[in-house]
Amino acid sequence: MSNKSILIAIPNIGTVSTNFMSQMLGMNYGKYTIGYRFIKSNLLYLSRDKLALSAINNNFDYILFLDTDQQIPNDTILRMAKHLENGEDIVTALIFTKEKPYNPCIYSESKILETGQLSLKYYPVSEIPLEPFYVENCGSGCVMLKTEVFKKIPQPWFHPYIYSGEDVTFFHVASHNYGYKILCDPTIDVGHWGIENINRTTKALYDEEVIRMKKGSVL
């Protein structure tokens, strides 16, 4: 069997840090054929559509959407691609929001309200397993898909619902309308660059601080 090819798709608004580029130079790509594409635009939903179309037109087997504020382990691509080779269609790393209370960007519930709004429920941190598990929806900070997913779902792929991001809109449609399962691998602990680097450890420390404050102490 020939080696699989992966397009690393990086939407951005024109600012890509040296930290981000340095980590990409140190990534372990193993046997995979890798391509890169950066698209600069303030309209992320258009950028993501163009990136997905590029993966199709250039015959990439997989596409990795990666935001420029993500700090990923150097074996991330190998671990995510292995899940796809084992039969999964969509796999996301574990990422937390940059804003307190640092919720995980995975969702245990995803549904459309009568108003047309997409309603999401964060997956409870206390219930996140140690092993890979399925979620109803996810963000696109670090998510890998088989390119064929985009061939089965009509465009536009990343058109947002009311008050909803373009990424969770797409993954809602993929999971609820087309039956694709979304696997989260919590062992791929991605950092989210902001004022500080937010990851699973940051979230745990924050939750401990909240408990201490409720007890009347921050020491």
Side-chain angles (χ1 to χ4, degrees):
M1 183 175 63
S2 60
N3 292 344
K4 298 292 185 181
S5 57
I6 303 172
L7 176 65
I8 300 177
I10 305 172
N12 65 94
I13 59 173
T15 302
V16 181
S17 71
T18 54
N19 285 338
F20 178 83
M21 291 308 302
S22 294
Q23 76 172 354
M24 299 313 297
L25 293 173
M27 291 297 295
N28 184 351
Y29 301 122
K31 63 182 179 180
Y32 298 102
T33 300
I34 299 296
Y36 282 92
R37 185 160 186 204
F38 293 77
I39 290 186
K40 175 185 174 181
S41 175
N42 289 324
L43 302 176
L44 287 177
Y45 65 96
L46 294 180
S47 295
R48 295 194 193 282
D49 263 28
K50 290 178 181 178
L51 289 165
L53 191 60
S54 179
I56 292 174
N57 291 340
N58 291 283
N59 298 311
F60 282 95
D61 297 293
Y62 307 150
I63 178 170
L64 170 67
F65 280 104
L66 185 62
D67 288 351
T68 57
D69 57 357
Q70 308 294 293
Q71 182 182 43
I72 61 177
N74 64 5
D75 61 349
T76 295
I77 289 174
L78 301 182
R79 294 160 70 183
M80 298 184 87
K82 184 177 180 180
H83 287 301
L84 300 190
E85 290 195 356
N86 287 339
E88 303 295 341
D89 295 302
I90 304 171
V91 57
T92 180
L94 180 61
I95 303 169
F96 293 85
T97 62
K98 289 188 288 189
E99 296 78 27
K100 294 178 181 180
Y102 308 130
N103 290 308
C105 300
I106 49 175
Y107 306 94
S108 60
E109 184 178 288
S110 179
K111 62 182 180 181
I112 305 298
L113 303 179
E114 292 183 358
T115 59
Q117 183 178 353
L118 178 61
S119 175
L120 298 169
K121 182 179 179 180
Y122 285 112
Y123 205 101
V125 174
S126 61
E127 297 179 15
I128 294 177
L130 298 177
E131 300 297 325
F133 62 103
Y134 293 106
V135 296
E136 282 202 20
N137 205 331
C138 69
S140 60
C142 181
V143 60
M144 188 181 290
L145 306 81
K146 289 179 177 175
T147 304
E148 66 186 40
V149 171
F150 292 103
K151 296 179 181 179
K152 295 181 179 179
I153 300 176
Q155 292 180 266
W157 294 300
F158 290 96
H159 182 71
Y161 286 122
I162 302 171
Y163 305 122
S164 300
E166 79 290 340
D167 49 359
V168 291
T169 296
F170 171 76
F171 290 115
H172 175 87
V173 170
S175 63
H176 287 71
N177 296 10
Y178 290 85
Y180 286 108
K181 291 183 177 180
I182 302 171
L183 184 74
C184 175
D185 188 339
T187 69
I188 306 175
D189 189 9
V190 171
H192 204 166
W193 278 312
I195 297 176
E196 57 182 321
N197 189 24
I198 307 303
N199 55 23
R200 195 166 191 163
T201 300
T202 313
K203 171 61 175 173
L205 291 173
Y206 171 79
D207 288 345
E208 290 175 5
E209 180 182 345
V210 170
I211 291 172
R212 288 196 299 268
M213 291 180 67
K214 288 180 178 179
K215 291 180 178 180
S217 173
V218 294
L219 298 179

